[in-house]
Amino acid sequence: QRDFDGRFGGFGDAPKFPHPMNLEFLLRTWRATADDDQPDLQALYMATLTLTRMAEGGLYDQVGGGFCRYSVDPYWMIPHFEKMLYDNGQLLAVSAQAAVATGDALFRRVAQETADWILRDLANPAGAYYSTLDADSEGHEGKFYVWTPDEVRGLLDEREYAVLARRFGLDRDANFEGRWHLHAFEPLEKVAEAAGLQSDEAEAALDSARAKLLAVRNRRVWPGRDEKILTSWNGLAIAGLAAAARALDRADYVDSAARAVAFLREHSWFDGRLLAVHKDGRSRFPAYLDDHAFLAWGLLELLQARWHGPWLAWAIELAETMLAHFEDQETGGFYFTADDHESLILRPKTFGDDATPAGNGVAARVLLRLGYLLAEPRYLDAAERTLRAAWSLVERYPHGHTSLLMALDELTEPPAIVVLRGAADDVAVWRAELDKLYEPARMVLAVPADAADLPAALADKRPQAGTVAYVCRGTTCSAPLATLGELIRSLKSHP
């Protein structure tokens, strides 16, 4: 709150970075207090204002969707034009969460457009996702993205141009090296009024204009694309697509994420060990902590969008690999490199979030959720040891360790785990109803009655004559709940 920019959102001054983990933490903080007499509305305001200003600004690609890396100014107007998979995977997840939490159509649109951009511009035809689009094309940063008013006027009809020009500043001075990078300057309602249109008419004109610009832009000389497939970044993208699939009811996002998982399983998993990079048909380099933790997190998120037993089995294998090869058995936490990695002068162990969340923070969350789901105390103990090892840093710099703070939240207040059993179509309906509620400290698994090879703790949640739900908190589980209403009442009584 001390660093918050109350006018333009974000934290600190330029250059401004998105910090998606902090935004997710703020949304969770608000939700944890939402039913209290004094909910933390400031946390909600900081998260949603920042997401809104980023989504309306030049940090966000107003034509094609997706976010650039950071803003060079405090207004989110002019970005460094590089677009990174790891940023977009995280911002996709938090935008989808904000859409469910607030019902705001802006966040819903941003989540959809960002997911569509990942699938359109970064997806490998065989599955998985490439790493980046460069900032430069034809030797100039941003050239692919910027426009002139005359160029745009020649592509749009009169109504479309009137709306887009006023909304995105083509009627103002150039804002990037003599050209115009689209940044929302006026609210759409004000633009509609000035054009003599209803808001929905102005929005339709804007959507039509953006589609025409995208078609033309796609014929330009493209920025270079880094076609490395990084396991860790793919884990973040899988998690983001799973969150968007649940928020937007988009099975195609689940399908794409599932193809990415299948690709990584085939090309980056050999003899029980993970590899970090795939490029030009070859996978290389022993994987790091982040690869294991982020991929396991992606699998757990994907399981909430669609049940598939092998995904859970692989998440368990990754957790076991982290414990066997990365854990510091003496002082807690996880090293960045495995115990059989090439010898380094110093074996690093980091706890702070950076452009990506801390591997230790994500590993702790994975182990906590798996530990509660499977009734596996080894996982819970390892997560607690990680938090204890990090505690002095977390106390001194909490804003730099929000992934660990979210793990701490789930250690001290175990998430509700809802296991649905019944016919596949029926449990999907129940899950979809729960997906309409923003409950970040809840895990929902819709396990069909005929699912085979379940771990013992899941197999104990047996199917009944009709669809049922089991609600588990910590190590205690409810009797089977036989109606959706009964389930929702149970969750409301103790979210």
Side-chain angles (χ1 to χ4, degrees), residues 418-421 430 461 467-471 478-483 487:
V418 180
V419 179
L420 307 174
R421 300 302 310 270
W430 285 34
K461 282 81 175 166
T467 303
V468 295
Y470 297 85
V471 179
S478 71
L481 305 173
T483 69
L487 168 60

Side-chain angles (χ1 to χ4, degrees), residues 5 13 18 36 57 64 71 80 86 124 144 176 194 198 224 237 241 260 278 282 288 298 300 344 359 371 402 482 487:
D5 181 341
D13 205 348
D36 296 350
S71 174
H80 175 53
Y86 68 76
N124 179 314
F144 182 72
F176 184 72
Q198 298 297 317
L241 286 165
H278 181 89
R282 181 183 173 199
Y288 302 96
L300 291 184
L344 302 173
T402 47
L487 168 60

Side-chain angles (χ1 to χ4, degrees), residues 56 77 165-173 175 181-187:
E56 292 180 334
M77 186 187 298
R166 187 153 184 162
R167 171 72 165 152
F168 290 123
L170 294 178
D171 58 347
R172 298 169 183 246
D173 291 339
N175 62 358
H181 178 56
L182 302 188
H183 168 94
F185 285 93
E186 288 195 17

Side-chain angles (χ1 to χ4, degrees), residues 21 78 117 199 316 319:
M21 279 291 102
I78 302 302
W117 171 75
S199 290
I316 294 169

Side-chain angles (χ1 to χ4, degrees), residues 189-225:
E189 296 77 12
K190 189 174 178 182
V191 171
E193 183 181 351
L197 300 172
Q198 298 297 317
S199 290
D200 58 345
E201 293 175 320
E203 189 167 2
L206 193 61
D207 288 344
S208 174
R210 291 163 65 238
K212 289 179 180 179
L213 295 187
L214 179 61
V216 170
R217 196 180 77 179
N218 283 341
R219 298 197 291 270
R220 293 177 173 175
V221 176
W222 275 65
R225 183 169 68 182

Side-chain angles (χ1 to χ4, degrees), residues 369 413-418 441-444 471-474 491 494-495:
R369 293 203 166 197
E413 188 72 33
I417 295 180
V418 180
R442 178 186 297 165
M443 188 174 182
V444 180
V471 179
C472 302
R473 297 182 176 90
L491 292 171
H494 185 157

